[in-house]
Amino acid sequence: MRSLSSLFLLLIISIQAMAQQTDTLFLAKLMQSKPELFSGVLNHPNKNEVQVIYTQVNRDQHNKPSFKTFSYNYNPQRYFYPASTVKLAAVVFALEKVNTLKSKGMNADLTMLTDSNFKGQTKVLKDESAPNGKPSITHYVKKILLTSDNDAFNRLFEFIGRAEINAKLSKYGMNHSRILNRLAIGDGGEQARHTNPIDFYKDGKLVYHQDAQYDDKDYPLTLTNLLVGKGYIDSNEQLVNEPYSFANKNVFTVGDQQMLLKRLMMPEAFPARERFNLTPADYQLIYTYMSKLPTESDYPKYDPNSFWPTYAKMLYYGREKNVELDPNIRIFNKYGDSYGYIIDNSYFVDFKNKIEFFLTAVVQSNEDGIYNDSKYEYETVCYPFMKNLGRTIYEYELNRSKKHLPNLSRYKMDYGNK
């Protein structure tokens, strides 16, 4: 009996290993079938820091989703700079925090006035892009999801608090990630541990006060690829001829990014205790502005020359301006771009053809090996790769048979309310 049990256990392990191998090979074979699109990057994936995760969604007769995931070159220990993709976590965690404070009169539409009490901190007392000229969590969420506004993220970072952000990452199983810093202000060290005091008002009356916070934790992770390149431009605009260090920067792996997105877009696929503490109105807000185009927004209002329709939809559209939009497709996503890295974390929906899938990818190009010099091959390497990848997966999904077609009506948003 023991021998039979051992053989059975070995068989199970073998089947699991084969399944894992298949999942790892599928994307490579798919991209290799189109060498005219992908050979340049596939020939040296580590040089271009490529990591991809693609998840198929399969529905049962009750429209409940299940997932089948495929990866290419995924390594949660190999560091890449996540840039603005961390902002989606901040959106979710900020709205969760509002919901825990409702008994104190909090809601996401209250006027949010940010003070300062530590070196490098700044105040925010107004927001001219809002209909009433006042900052609020709701408006910051819109600005983050429409055009990836850095200041909006920083204000949500300060509201949630660094300790709570990282506690939430751990709570929801995103154990390969950490969020330590504000963005685009040189935040780091002791400054990043301090967050601002904040007051929330309704009709000129104080509803809720949050004291300044301090986070003494470090959130260590075992990572490779932290020292990169052969030089970098420092804060004095001088070239330093030594590798650039990403130590003590934000970390958000493509696996954790997609885990967050799946839980956000399809909470019913997870046990109730593992779902985000979000209201139906929260989901509606996030879904609307994740999929809305900058040119469809009046508040905030954007210059279409700077923020064209496909500005944020790198998977499938790249960064092309003069491209015809497919009216049946909506992409719910959060992208990032910095230090030569392009990242996009997306959920695709085609209402006409009943297609849906998750696709998360990172690619980088920095031929001169100098960081922070704004000389990266975005246009010739990164954007084309992202566009071709998104379209290749979409074409595959067009021909993939499904036992039950999905009901996608919950993802049809009203974009007329600007």
Side-chain angles (χ1 to χ4, degrees), residues 223-239:
L223 300 165
T224 63
N225 202 44
L226 288 174
L227 285 174
V228 294
K230 62 183 182 182
Y232 63 92
I233 304 299
D234 65 14
S235 58
N236 296 316
E237 302 296 321
Q238 300 297 311
L239 174 62

Side-chain angles (χ1 to χ4, degrees), residues 130-394:
N132 62 359
K134 298 176 181 178
S136 68
I137 288 173
T138 294
H139 200 65
Y140 284 142
V141 166
K142 294 177 181 179
K143 293 168 76 172
I144 285 172
L145 297 179
L146 283 167
T147 59
S148 202
D149 188 281
N150 287 320
D151 183 70
F153 164 76
N154 294 342
R155 302 312 169 179
L156 294 192
F157 177 96
E158 292 158 358
F159 168 63
I160 307 162
R162 196 174 88 156
E164 184 169 331
I165 289 173
N166 288 284
K168 286 289 183 71
L169 290 173
S170 178
K171 174 184 176 180
Y172 291 117
M174 291 175 271
N175 297 313
H176 297 293
S177 299
R178 68 185 181 206
I179 299 176
L180 303 181
N181 309 308
R182 302 170 181 85
L183 297 178
I185 60 168
D187 195 34
E190 193 68 10
Q191 178 178 308
R193 298 178 183 274
H194 290 263
T195 50
N196 311 40
I198 306 169
D199 290 317
F200 291 88
Y201 289 86
K202 181 177 181 180
D203 299 327
K205 294 182 179 180
L206 181 65
V207 173
Y208 179 74
H209 169 77
Q210 177 173 288
D211 288 333
Q213 302 174 72
Y214 178 77
D215 180 25
D216 62 355
K217 298 183 181 66
D218 291 323
Y219 312 102
L221 291 170
T222 301
L223 300 165
T224 63
N225 202 44
L226 288 174
L227 285 174
V228 294
K230 62 183 182 182
Y232 63 92
I233 304 299
D234 65 14
S235 58
N236 296 316
E237 302 296 321
Q238 300 297 311
L239 174 62
V240 179
N241 290 304
E242 59 185 53
Y244 184 75
S245 175
F246 281 115
N248 301 314
K249 299 281 190 182
N250 295 332
V251 181
F252 202 15
T253 67
V254 291
D256 285 352
Q257 288 188 39
Q258 193 170 106
M259 182 190 297
L260 182 147
L261 189 58
K262 286 192 290 190
R263 187 179 274 109
L264 177 64
M265 301 308 301
M266 298 178 188
E268 69 275 17
F270 297 83
R273 67 182 180 279
E274 296 179 13
R275 299 173 190 171
F276 294 128
N277 177 25
L278 298 175
T279 67
D282 294 333
Y283 282 110
Q284 193 80 0
L285 172 67
I286 296 173
Y287 292 175
T288 299
Y289 285 89
M290 280 185 79
S291 58
K292 197 171 191 175
L293 308 177
T295 49
E296 294 174 321
S297 174
D298 281 343
Y299 296 99
K301 184 72 172 178
Y302 295 104
D303 179 354
N305 292 315
S306 299
F307 298 101
W308 52 96
T310 58
Y311 175 84
K313 311 301 178 184
M314 296 186 189
L315 283 168
Y316 197 81
Y317 290 113
R319 262 278 169 89
E320 296 179 11
K321 291 186 177 182
N322 300 314
V323 59
E324 184 177 354
L325 293 170
D326 188 324
N328 301 304
I329 294 176
R330 282 287 173 172
I331 303 173
F332 300 74
N333 75 307
K334 185 69 204 73
Y335 79 92
D337 59 343
S338 189
Y339 293 109
Y341 291 98
I342 296 295
I343 317 103
D344 203 348
N345 183 27
S346 301
Y347 168 62
F348 282 69
V349 173
D350 181 334
F351 296 105
K352 178 182 178 181
N353 295 298
K354 302 296 183 181
I355 289 173
E356 59 176 339
F357 62 91
F358 292 90
L359 183 59
T360 309
V362 56
V363 63
Q364 192 228 30
S365 187
N366 185 9
E367 289 295 332
D368 67 7
I370 305 298
Y371 282 76
N372 211 32
D373 65 350
S374 300
K375 296 178 182 178
Y376 308 110
E377 293 72 42
Y378 288 139
E379 300 288 344
T380 56
V381 177
C382 299
Y383 297 148
F385 174 83
M386 299 299 267
K387 173 186 173 180
N388 293 332
L389 178 65
R391 290 182 179 238
T392 296
I393 298 297
Y394 174 78

Side-chain angles (χ1 to χ4, degrees), residues 27-78:
L27 282 171
K29 289 181 177 179
L30 185 63
M31 290 188 285
Q32 286 165 2
S33 72
K34 296 190 174 186
E36 72 280 6
L37 299 181
F38 298 109
S39 62
V41 169
L42 294 183
N43 288 340
H44 37 72
N46 287 332
K47 175 184 175 183
N48 286 118
E49 306 289 353
V50 179
Q51 297 189 48
V52 183
I53 298 181
Y54 156 52
T55 296
Q56 296 172 354
V57 182
N58 298 297
R59 302 276 182 169
D60 66 13
Q61 64 271 30
H62 304 295
N63 205 46
K64 184 174 180 179
S66 61
F67 307 122
K68 184 175 183 180
T69 297
F70 305 85
S71 66
Y72 173 76
N73 210 36
Y74 174 52
N75 181 353
Q77 275 76 48
R78 184 177 175 86

